[in-house]
Amino acid sequence: MCNPFNLVIADEDFHKGFNNIYDRALANSLRAIFKKHALLFEGLDGEYDIPKAANAKTVRDFDEGLTRVSFGFRSVDDYYSNSSSSDSIKNVSIPLLCIQADNDPIAPSRGIPREDIKANPNCLLIVTPEGGHLGWVAGDEAPFGCPWTDPIVMEFLEHVHNETGSTSKNSVANEPQGVPKTSVPHLSEHV
């Protein structure tokens, strides 16, 4: 849910308008987590820029100082370009439900690999016009009740579980273990 499929696009949009507030808030949270574990990075070899991570004003600063080095990337741009899940959608071989909001400031709609998702029978995409980043509230109990996405996700998982159970009983010897063939469900309408 609310996956920033394309990290290059997400990074570009993160620096526009109101999104700067999200960027600073996430950077602040990352700094707070990092400071609790900073001692683990003392004396490490490599290109770590500990002061940059510890004082990051943006997620990009944090990723440049710490994240990209931790995963062996030459730069933050290299990290974003080569770590985007949009590149993997065509290879998804198990059921995947993607729920996105068109107005998500962290996971931009323009970064959704719609054609790859549409072409992959294992993938199901739901895009709502509103919702922001994980802000799907609905019903009489909103904003304190469960979001409308909860029953959709449960229905999807129940379908996958039921399909997996019936498929594993009839599995073919050539199927990879633990990856039974299932179909993406047709979800009932929840209002």
Side-chain angles (χ1 to χ4, degrees), residues 22-42:
Y22 284 106
D23 191 12
R24 287 191 302 267
L26 282 173
N28 187 43
S29 295
L30 288 169
R31 280 193 325 266
I33 293 167
F34 174 72
K35 286 179 182 174
K36 291 178 184 176
H37 306 284
L39 291 175
L40 297 172
F41 293 89
E42 280 188 13

Side-chain angles (χ1 to χ4, degrees), residues 40-102:
L40 297 172
F41 293 89
E42 280 188 13
L44 282 182
D45 293 334
E47 301 175 30
Y48 289 101
D49 188 340
I50 301 307
K52 186 169 199 143
N55 299 301
K57 301 286 185 231
T58 66
V59 172
R60 183 181 182 84
D61 288 345
F62 187 88
D63 287 343
E64 179 61 48
L66 187 72
T67 312
R68 67 104 185 157
V69 181
S70 296
F71 294 104
F73 292 98
R74 294 182 314 273
S75 68
V76 72
D77 292 319
D78 181 37
Y79 166 55
Y80 291 163
S81 295
N82 291 297
S83 297
S84 295
S85 61
S86 58
D87 299 333
S88 302
I89 291 295
K90 57 185 154 283
N91 300 319
V92 170
S93 60
I94 59 173
L96 174 66
L97 173 62
C98 307
I99 304 177
Q100 306 288 124
D102 239 354

